[in-house]
């Protein structure tokens, strides 16, 4: 990326190979990367994070370890790995107490660190995890960022239980589609919404119990009908805006709402009466911890979950891949294949 703006700021060109400078770093030769909405916000310069140009985007990657710093012990050259995308400063109050995810100076691949839209990436060795058995590199890059995000929301924060009902607002994106897979695998009842019948059909194939087209029907009324006016136990709403009040209204007493984004507007009207009178909890989070990544990898291995890949583009066509994501036509992850 040579500057902030549209996809015309993206160039497929040679860059210097990263050089290891720290004893606990490794160099990974990437085989695949995947796209996240954060890449687009970073390209637009909408995150407030200033990076040095030219800059390499991309938070998700999978590949093979090719070089080790002197003090690396957890991986060896030739290991196939998928990448945990964030690293703390190691010095702040949060890093020093095992909560580096909350680091004030958190660095994420593709943001403050050079990212994965490349043949090589340098990162701390502790961010490399073995690829779950049976996954291709394309699949192994298609879940880390969305996976840790939904795991923290759904399992750590909302503590979704077998037999509970989950409502996912806006099925199709990476977080939502992965949330559907995890929720079905723990035995939850899942209702999804979308403006696209095609996406609702795809969600049903993946196990969704009910799909509501919010362009044709009021999703709150539908949820009330489906639950006998009880409401759902958990809502994932990363849309917010005008949807937010309905998400709160869709919750049963003691219900939990989790959010990791606000694509339709970050200043929704809260219904405070509903929040206290129905004993609701609202959890906000972003990304997830290394421990949550480990739990997710283990869960995927036990349940034999294959991440949902929407499409694969060669690295040289990254601009087309980002355009595809911006058009919101995808179901699952948009992946870049890296050869060379
Ligand atoms: Zn820190």
């Amino acid at each position: 990326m040579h500057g902030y703006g549209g996809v015309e700021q993206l160039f497929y060109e040679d860059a210097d190979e990263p050089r290891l400078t720290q004893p606990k770093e490794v160099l990974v030769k990437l085989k695949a990367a995947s796209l996240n909405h954060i890449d687009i916000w970073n390209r637009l310069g909408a995150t407030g994070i200033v990076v040095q140009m030219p800059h390499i985007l991309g938070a998700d990657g999978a590949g093979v370890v090719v070089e080790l710093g002197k003090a690396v012990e957890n991986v060896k050259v030739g290991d196939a790995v998928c990448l945990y995308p964030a690293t703390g400063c190691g010095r702040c109050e949060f890093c020093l107490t095992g909560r580096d995810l909350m680091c004030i100076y958190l660095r994420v691949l593709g943001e403050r660190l050079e990212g994965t839209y490349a043949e090589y990436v340098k990162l701390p060795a502790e961010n490399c995890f073995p690829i779950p058995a049976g996954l291709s590199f394309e699949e192994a890059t298609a879940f880390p960022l969305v996976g840790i995000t939904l795991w923290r929301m759904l399992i750590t924060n909302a503590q979704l239980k077998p037999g509970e009902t989950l409502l996912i607002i806006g099925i199709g994106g990476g977080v939502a589609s992965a949330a559907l897979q995890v929720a079905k695998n723990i035995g939850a009842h899942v209702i999804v919404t979308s403006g696209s019948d095609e996406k609702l059909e795809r969600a049903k194939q993946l196990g969704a119990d009910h799909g509501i087209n919010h362009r044709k029907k009021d999703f709150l009324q539908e949820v009330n009908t489906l639950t006998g006016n009880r409401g759902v136990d958990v809502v994932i709403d990363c849309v917010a805006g005008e949807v937010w009040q309905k998400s709160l209204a869709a919750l049963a007493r003691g219900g939990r709402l989790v959010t990791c984004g606000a694509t339709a507007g970050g200043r929704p009207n809260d219904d405070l009466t509903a929040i206290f009178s129905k004993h609701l909890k609202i959890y906000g989070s972003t990304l997830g911890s290394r421990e949550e990544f480990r739990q997710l990898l283990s869960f995927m291995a036990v349940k034999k979950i294959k991440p949902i890949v929407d499409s694969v583009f060669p690295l040289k066509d990254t601009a087309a891949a980002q355009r595809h994501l911006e058009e919101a036509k995808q179901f699952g992850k948009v992946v870049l294949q890296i050869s060379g």
Side-chain angles (χ1 to χ4, degrees):
M1 174 172 96
H2 278 236
Y4 299 114
V7 290
E8 73 282 353
Q9 293 290 354
L10 299 177
F11 294 85
Y12 179 66
E13 61 184 20
D14 283 320
D16 290 339
E17 217 173 282
R19 290 183 163 214
L20 301 187
T21 52
Q22 302 295 324
K24 291 189 175 177
E25 280 178 345
V26 295
L27 188 66
V28 172
K29 187 168 181 11
L30 291 158
K31 301 285 187 182
S34 79
L35 275 59
N36 291 286
H37 277 284
I38 190 69
D39 305 347
I40 290 165
W41 295 327
N42 280 322
R43 191 198 70 214
L44 292 168
T47 59
I49 294 171
V50 178
V51 297
Q52 204 184 340
M53 302 289 175
H55 174 71
I56 300 173
L57 292 167
D60 276 323
V64 176
V65 175
V66 290
E67 200 183 325
L68 308 176
K70 286 191 186 80
V72 172
E73 291 179 354
N74 63 313
V75 288
K76 54 187 191 307
V77 168
D79 282 359
V81 293
C82 53
L83 310 180
Y84 173 77
T87 184
C89 69
R91 292 183 298 275
C92 74
E93 165 194 349
F94 300 99
C95 288
L96 292 172
T97 49
R99 296 174 290 169
D100 27 344
L101 177 64
M102 294 189 192
C103 176
I104 300 158
Y105 312 101
L106 191 72
R107 291 171 298 164
V108 179
L109 293 175
E111 274 189 0
R112 291 191 174 96
L113 299 172
E114 295 279 34
T116 55
Y117 293 7
E119 289 180 294
Y120 294 93
V121 69
K122 169 178 93 162
L123 77 168
E126 62 178 358
N127 287 33
C128 296
F129 287 77
I131 291 177
L135 296 194
S136 65
F137 286 111
E138 284 78 16
E139 287 165 336
T141 192
F143 73 90
L145 190 139
V146 294
I148 54 175
T149 303
L150 85 88
W151 192 266
R152 188 174 184 85
M153 289 199 298
L154 216 53
I155 307 301
T156 308
N157 290 339
Q159 298 185 15
L160 182 71
K161 304 280 190 304
E164 286 193 321
T165 302
L166 168 70
L167 171 65
I168 303 174
I169 304 293
I171 197 69
V175 171
S177 53
L180 168 61
Q181 285 183 299
V182 168
K184 284 315 296 175
N185 272 287
I186 65 167
H189 193 81
V190 183
I191 304 171
V192 302
T193 76
S194 172
S196 151
D197 285 334
E198 209 181 319
K199 288 187 181 183
L200 292 173
E201 194 45 49
R202 189 75 209 286
K204 281 188 183 164
Q205 287 165 10
L206 288 162
D209 299 280
H210 299 283
I212 304 170
N213 188 323
H214 62 75
R215 284 177 213 239
K216 295 178 184 168
K217 285 178 176 168
D218 182 78
F219 81 81
L220 181 57
Q221 264 177 23
E222 283 293 300
V223 166
N224 283 334
T225 306
L226 289 168
T227 62
N229 287 322
R230 175 189 179 272
V232 301
D233 300 288
V234 178
V235 177
I236 295 183
D237 180 357
C238 301
V239 178
E242 290 180 3
V243 177
W244 184 260
Q245 268 203 16
K246 285 187 180 184
S247 292
L248 287 175
L251 283 168
R253 289 179 165 259
R256 295 88 80 195
L257 187 150
V258 292
T259 179
C260 69
T263 50
R267 295 181 187 277
N269 289 322
D270 274 318
D271 183 352
L272 292 179
T273 315
I275 294 171
F276 64 74
S277 65
K278 285 166 68 184
H279 301 262
L280 305 182
K281 291 191 177 72
I282 299 172
Y283 293 100
S285 60
T286 179
L287 301 172
S289 67
R290 270 190 196 82
E291 166 57 10
E292 283 158 340
F293 192 39
R294 189 200 61 74
Q295 289 173 14
L296 170 71
L297 287 167
S298 177
F299 184 79
M300 289 175 68
V302 170
K303 295 290 185 178
K304 299 185 170 50
I305 295 177
K306 292 246 179 192
I308 305 162
V309 175
D310 169 80
S311 46
V312 181
F313 292 76
L315 181 63
K316 67 177 173 57
D317 295 339
T318 298
Q322 282 204 349
R323 225 177 281 127
H324 181 68
L325 184 63
E326 282 179 298
E327 287 166 1
K329 287 182 182 156
Q330 86 285 8
F331 194 105
K333 295 291 286 177
V334 180
V335 169
L336 300 173
Q337 198 169 43
I338 302 166
S339 51

